[in-house]
Amino acid sequence: MSERGAGGDGSGDAVVVGAAAARAHWVADELGCDESYGAWLAELDGLGEPTDETVLPAPDDAAALLRRLGCPESAVTDAVTTLPGASADPARWWLLDRCRARLVRDLGDPGASRGLWPQLPSRLGAAGGAFYLHLFLATMPATLRYHEDRAVPEDVSWATLADLGRHVALHGAAYGATGVDEPWWMTLHLRGILYEIGRLQYSVFRLGEGPEHPRPWYDDSDAALLGPGFRVGDGTVGIHIPAGGPLTPDECAASYRRARHVIDASFPVPGRRVATCSTWLLDDQLDEYLPPESNILAFQRSFRLVPGWVEGDRNVMTFVFRTHDTPLDRLPQETRMQRAVVSHLRAGRHFHWRTGWLDLSRA
Ligand SMILES: CC(C)(COP(=O)(O)OP(=O)(O)OC[C@H]1O[C@@H](n2cnc3c(N)ncnc32)[C@H](O)[C@@H]1OP(=O)(O)O)[C@@H](O)C(=O)NCCC(=O)NCCS
């Protein structure tokens, strides 16, 4: 069934819309997507027929790429054995094609909406769990071309994309099955918005424009007082902290130094000064619980805090325990942070999601 219509007059357009909607409903039925997927499918429908083609690598090449991206062997096997084909798996192919086209359309545009990226229904088993690995394989060639056009160093390109392996491992640890933890996050990498440079990741955007804008941030009059680098429209970078080994001050300093050069060369913006960071790790209440030599407190000391905070309990539970519904008395209590979280919440207090900034040109 083609979604392209002859168009032209009003009745032709009506046929196109009807055919496209019918296709999205058919995809939903085939994949067992309930009404909670309605907005996502409608969004993908609205893109229209992609103008370029989705191409997946051959199974051996797909396996080699996923291994290079750090994916565990069980996920590589699941992804390779469920690679979809346009005629063999038309519903999964439709989804893949539309999702890839959307990411390619938004390449390099931090102002674009982050979009909806739900996990596929569990009844699809490995094929559903591997969907975002397939999307990675389908979109990566365009992302790598974009990196190349911007002269992003090759090691940065591959380190960036290898965050996939980390997120597949996180999903595997939580659910014991193939999948990608927080698939929406991985779309920033595929869109050329986010780069991993040493221990930290950096997103490239303009203040006040689109979903990458930090929250909380200064109001316009305070930003104007702080001057260039802080105002709406000023180019900036967001710092992100991937899970992994300890966040040592030396590794952070090395990352800031290299990031400054890489970002200035690949994404030159006159007058860029500040790098912002919005995270639970900047909650200044943590100094009640952690010793002064803690890496998190050392990280905090590199930043100036923006006034205000947003409640961050859910983020803390995600990044410390990877659960939200386990009662406090059943959470592990092995590390200082785990004990801190339980005693803070038991006392009826909340964690603070804060924004901080540092001058990357001096870091
Ligand atoms: C960022 C991170 C690497 C810092 O860990 P670190 O370098 O060990 O930090 P510190 O030295 O300050 O740790 C102090 C104590 O808290 C513990 N701790 C720190 N982060 C922890 C976490 N996320 N979960 C459990 N315990 C943690 C440490 O093990 C240490 O405990 P100990 O003294 O009993 O051995 C770690 O928190 C992490 O991996 N977080 C996940 C990613 C994340 O939160 N990103 C930000 C998203 S907004």
Side-chain angles (χ1 to χ4, degrees), residues 94-355:
W94 184 91
L95 265 191
L96 186 69
D97 196 32
R98 295 291 170 116
C99 288
R100 179 203 58 79
R102 180 188 174 138
L103 294 173
V104 171
R105 182 198 66 184
D106 294 342
L107 256 173
D109 179 6
S113 141
R114 284 181 173 174
L116 303 163
W117 303 97
Q119 305 286 356
L120 293 200
S122 53
R123 70 178 273 277
L124 294 172
F131 176 72
Y132 287 106
L133 285 90
H134 299 149
L135 182 58
F136 227 81
L137 292 170
T139 313
M140 249 177 73
T143 309
L144 286 169
R145 274 196 301 279
Y146 178 80
H147 287 183
E148 213 176 297
D149 290 348
R150 290 277 182 168
V152 172
E154 204 181 331
D155 67 313
V156 170
S157 273
W158 286 96
T160 298
L161 297 173
D163 201 21
L164 178 68
R166 201 183 273 131
H167 280 249
V168 170
L170 284 171
H171 184 95
Y175 301 104
T178 293
V180 175
D181 179 67
E182 305 285 2
W184 69 271
W185 175 250
M186 299 311 306
T187 65
L188 299 181
H189 312 47
L190 290 171
R191 284 170 44 208
I193 304 302
L194 184 112
Y195 295 90
E196 185 156 326
I197 305 174
R199 180 66 185 84
L200 300 165
Q201 295 168 328
Y202 300 84
S203 51
V204 184
F205 66 101
R206 286 181 184 279
L207 287 169
E209 295 176 8
E212 308 316 318
H213 177 73
R215 286 188 179 79
W217 189 243
Y218 298 105
D219 62 27
D220 288 350
S221 56
D222 285 343
L225 286 174
L226 287 159
F230 292 85
R231 302 159 311 187
V232 166
D234 285 345
T236 188
V237 293
I239 295 177
H240 307 274
I241 307 98
L247 189 66
T248 66
D250 285 352
E251 281 187 288
C252 290
S255 175
Y256 300 143
R257 275 197 301 276
R258 183 155 188 230
R260 187 177 61 204
H261 294 298
V262 169
I263 293 167
D264 280 351
S266 295
F267 300 93
V269 172
R272 175 166 46 219
R273 271 175 63 204
V274 297
T276 68
C277 182
S278 297
T279 174
W280 69 277
L281 294 168
L282 288 178
D283 185 343
D284 54 356
Q285 303 173 101
L286 292 176
D287 72 0
E288 295 176 35
Y289 304 99
L290 300 179
E293 66 276 13
S294 115
N295 290 328
I296 292 173
L297 296 190
F299 180 74
Q300 292 188 355
R301 288 192 286 272
S302 303
F303 289 85
R304 286 268 301 275
L305 283 178
V306 175
W309 50 271
V310 183
E311 198 237 276
D313 295 350
R314 193 173 170 85
N315 298 92
V316 172
M317 291 301 283
T318 300
F319 290 111
V320 176
F321 296 112
R322 300 262 154 214
T323 174
H324 300 111
D325 44 18
T326 308
L328 292 183
D329 58 5
R330 302 223 335 255
L331 291 170
Q333 291 291 272
E334 282 150 29
T335 72
R336 272 195 175 90
M337 182 65 83
Q338 290 172 338
R339 295 191 288 276
V341 173
V342 169
S343 80
H344 197 75
L345 295 175
R346 268 216 184 104
R349 298 170 70 190
H350 294 286
F351 286 96
H352 298 171
W353 175 271
R354 301 288 304 255
T355 298

